[in-house]
Amino acid sequence: MMSFPQGFLWGGATAANQCEGAWDVDGRGPAESDVLTGGSVKSPRLVTYRMPDGTTGAVPKWQGVPEGARREVVDGYWYPNHDAIDFYHHYKEDIALFAEMGFKQYRMSISWSRIFPKGIEEEPNQAGLDFYRNVFLELKKYDIEPLVTMWHFDTPLYLDEELGGWKNRAILPYWDRYVRTILTEYKGLVKNWLTINEINNTIQFLGANKPASDEDFQRAYQHLHHQFLASAHAVKMAHEISDEYRVGCMICGVPHYPLTCDPADVLLTQRQMERCVFYCGDVQAKGKYPVYAQRLWDEHDVHVEMEPEDAQVLAEGAVDFYTFSYYMTTCDTTHEVTETAGGNMSFGAKNPYLKYSDWGWALDAMGLRYYLEMVYDRYEKPLMVVENGLGAFDTVEEDGSIHDPYRIDYMRAHIEEMGKAIDEGVDLIGYTSWGCIDVISAGTGEMRKRYGFIYVDRDDEGNGTFARSKKDSFYWYKKVIESNGSDLA
Ligand code: BG6
């Protein structure tokens, strides 16, 4: 028996930097995502920079630019986020398509540097404010609730370069100004907000590409402490500004499994879950650091600098609901591994019971139910799955149709598992599949890694008309929403 509650928030999700384009239009300032080149599953995205002597270069993002370099847009590189899918000029058409599918909710993000181009201005950029107001008004026309992420991988580049971004506590007053501005400006148009997208990535992927030193851990935990404060400030401001506002956290939900039943593997897995997933969710949903935090810090001789009032700030800034992305699971073991998962952003031992996507991500629908039940039990707060989907190659047939049964199969299996979790008593209130319209991949910068129900005519060399067309999954998802999740055929 599958029973999605009345009013379940079906919809789709995007992020400003991956869909808007118009990176330097109407006063927008450059953001972190604008200095990232295109990559692929085999070759990482690069960050481009200029040295004081004028020479330029590019390094994988995780490597970090050389001492003295400034990240900059450099001639001769391909920056896919600059144009993305040009949602900035197509939002009316796109929202009409979302409405045609019956969306109840659309998850999107605000680009901080569209509102405050450098991050430090006293006054916001009016054109940026107008753009999002128009988007919200367009959504309202179709009764689609926006779910708005305040930060989705795109700190204004200036703040990042001048202050060191989230590593520096001095970022907080600028963040507060940005958040207060959007919460005040969009009162009455938005109800649900998310603070920091996939906040746990900072710690979960640390050490994945190159061994991490104690200094790396120190930086990561300090960075997170500042983001926890930022998130707590946002929750508090939202509650002060409007009774209608509800604010959630956003966690990258990758459940860890022990590869074997060796107790050492089970213990390792528990610890990996604590570090990679629970650490952030616990602080944001419970409003305090968990007991095991001290052990995690001690392991790397970390001393998180905190002010005396911070504990109180975190306590007052616990989120109203918990959201997460769900794409895959991973396996941990203390034993020697012969096969690793080996995709982009997917690490650990290969699970012999699962199949993997073309990008090496484990396909595991049941893992979604496992995660839902585990986190509901832990927090007892309403949950939303705000990202889920299959990144895949799509083929446009001669008649323009796009047959994507693989995407439908993937989503059907995940939605079935959500239904079972609801039947078990989990208070799941919404689902926004990732990249409901094709967007630029965050991990690889590719266009050909497509998640959408709506196809966008654009390739990895920047060719294409940006024309939108409906894939088979478009009609399928429309039926799912119409039947409130009871018709998944
Ligand atoms: C999440 C992000 O990591 O996964 C999105 O919140 C991202 O921004 C999504 O696009 C899918 O990852 P990718 O690398 O396939 O785009």
Side-chain angles (χ1 to χ4, degrees):
M1 216 265 291
M2 300 245 316
S3 38
F4 285 89
Q6 280 303 316
F8 187 79
L9 293 164
W10 297 100
T14 61
N17 77 92
Q18 290 168 260
C19 76
E20 283 176 10
W23 75 290
D24 58 355
V25 170
D26 290 341
R28 183 182 179 279
E32 269 181 302
S33 42
D34 293 315
V35 289
L36 285 178
T37 67
S40 72
V41 69
K42 296 215 174 73
S43 52
R45 302 189 76 174
L46 305 176
V47 53
T48 54
Y49 63 83
R50 185 178 299 277
M51 298 300 291
D53 66 1
T55 53
T56 58
V59 282
K61 195 181 163 206
W62 44 264
Q63 196 174 305
V65 296
E67 195 65 35
R70 290 182 74 84
R71 283 171 293 165
E72 219 178 273
V73 172
V74 170
D75 283 347
Y77 290 93
W78 168 239
Y79 299 97
N81 300 67
H82 284 189
D83 297 328
I85 59 157
D86 199 28
F87 176 81
Y88 193 79
H89 298 107
H90 290 75
Y91 70 91
K92 288 193 179 174
E93 178 187 352
D94 294 343
I95 291 171
L97 288 165
F98 301 157
E100 194 181 328
M101 276 186 278
F103 278 20
K104 313 287 179 219
Q105 169 166 267
Y106 170 50
R107 175 177 176 230
M108 51 178 277
S109 72
I110 292 183
S111 157
W112 184 350
S113 65
R114 214 178 269 297
I115 308 296
F116 289 99
K118 286 182 169 173
I120 56 160
E121 296 82 353
E122 297 278 332
E123 296 301 324
N125 171 30
Q126 191 57 45
L129 291 177
D130 292 346
F131 171 67
Y132 294 108
R133 173 170 294 275
N134 291 336
V135 170
F136 296 142
L137 288 171
E138 198 65 20
L139 290 168
K140 203 176 164 72
K141 244 167 66 181
Y142 301 100
D143 278 333
I144 301 175
E145 283 290 340
L147 169 63
V148 184
T149 317
M150 296 170 172
W151 184 90
H152 196 126
F153 303 157
D154 57 357
T155 311
L157 191 59
Y158 181 88
L159 275 188
D160 229 33
E161 286 294 326
E162 294 301 314
L163 288 184
W166 290 104
K167 289 197 292 285
N168 189 345
R169 193 176 171 113
I171 196 172
L172 288 175
Y174 300 114
W175 163 264
D176 288 353
R177 184 183 300 163
Y178 160 61
V179 170
R180 186 171 291 285
T181 302
I182 56 175
L183 287 173
T184 309
E185 182 74 22
Y186 303 123
K187 187 172 165 173
L189 287 172
V190 176
K191 291 193 184 101
N192 295 324
W193 298 87
L194 303 179
T195 56
I196 313 266
N197 184 68
E198 291 192 339
I199 187 168
N200 52 320
N201 284 359
T202 300
I203 193 70
Q204 112 164 305
F205 294 127
L206 187 64
N209 288 299
K210 61 164 189 186
S213 64
D214 285 352
E215 288 72 39
D216 293 329
F217 277 93
Q218 173 68 42
R219 269 194 295 275
Y221 283 117
Q222 193 64 53
H223 165 128
L224 283 175
H225 183 64
H226 299 147
Q227 289 195 327
F228 294 149
L229 293 172
S231 176
H233 287 185
V235 172
K236 205 162 174 227
M237 280 190 264
H239 291 164
E240 281 162 10
I241 291 171
S242 169
D243 291 344
E244 276 200 328
Y245 282 157
R246 294 284 171 273
V247 187
C249 58
M250 200 299 198
I251 304 291
C252 179
V254 179
H256 288 238
Y257 299 154
L259 186 68
T260 75
C261 52
D262 179 345
D265 278 10
V266 176
L267 190 66
L268 172 69
T269 301
Q270 184 196 45
R271 292 180 171 212
Q272 286 288 84
M273 275 303 281
E274 287 171 350
R275 175 171 75 93
C276 299
V277 182
F278 292 144
Y279 180 81
C280 295
D282 284 358
V283 176
Q284 291 186 288
K286 296 183 177 179
K288 58 178 188 189
Y289 277 101
V291 169
Y292 58 80
Q294 191 62 51
R295 168 171 43 77
L296 291 178
W297 299 332
D298 289 348
E299 278 168 11
H300 296 284
D301 201 18
V302 165
H303 300 274
V304 181
E305 275 179 40
M306 299 187 196
E307 297 299 327
E309 68 273 17
D310 290 0
Q312 172 90 12
V313 170
L314 296 180
E316 289 172 3
V319 291
D320 302 308
F321 59 101
Y322 177 104
T323 82
F324 63 100
S325 60
Y326 180 83
Y327 295 95
M328 64 185 128
T329 52
T330 189
C331 290
D332 299 317
T333 184
T334 55
H335 298 266
E336 203 172 321
V337 177
T338 45
E339 265 200 296
T340 51
N344 78 301
M345 297 207 281
S346 126
F347 306 93
K350 196 157 192 172
N351 186 332
Y353 299 98
L354 298 177
K355 294 201 168 64
Y356 286 76
S357 80
D358 289 328
W359 278 264
W361 294 18
L363 308 175
D364 184 3
M366 203 184 282
L368 175 55
R369 171 152 53 114
Y370 170 71
Y371 191 86
L372 279 165
E373 295 182 5
M374 180 167 53
V375 290
Y376 188 60
D377 192 38
R378 198 174 181 100
Y379 303 121
E380 295 189 350
K381 295 200 177 198
L383 306 180
M384 278 194 218
V385 179
V386 295
E387 285 188 30
N388 169 243
L390 180 69
F393 298 106
D394 289 329
T395 308
V396 185
E397 306 295 337
E398 266 179 30
D399 65 357
S401 57
I402 298 146
H403 306 304
D404 56 348
Y406 35 88
R407 184 166 293 112
I408 295 173
D409 289 347
Y410 176 100
M411 293 191 62
R412 179 189 297 116
H414 285 77
I415 293 173
E416 272 171 7
E417 295 296 329
M418 292 187 329
K420 290 178 194 164
I422 291 171
D423 289 343
E424 293 283 339
V426 171
D427 187 14
L428 177 63
I429 58 171
Y431 174 77
T432 52
S433 71
W434 175 249
C436 46
I437 180 165
D438 294 342
V439 295
I440 299 296
S441 157
T444 63
E446 290 166 294
M447 193 61 224
R448 74 185 138 192
K449 187 182 189 191
R450 295 173 185 272
Y451 288 86
F453 307 115
I454 301 164
Y455 185 90
V456 178
D457 178 28
R458 178 79 167 170
D459 70 14
D460 287 319
E461 281 75 50
N463 305 307
T465 60
F466 289 122
R468 279 50 174 158
S469 51
K470 300 170 194 172
K471 305 181 194 177
D472 287 357
S473 55
F474 181 99
Y475 303 100
W476 176 81
Y477 196 47
K478 180 175 177 358
K479 205 174 54 169
V480 171
I481 299 178
E482 246 162 34
S483 67
N484 197 26
S486 61
D487 184 356
L488 301 178

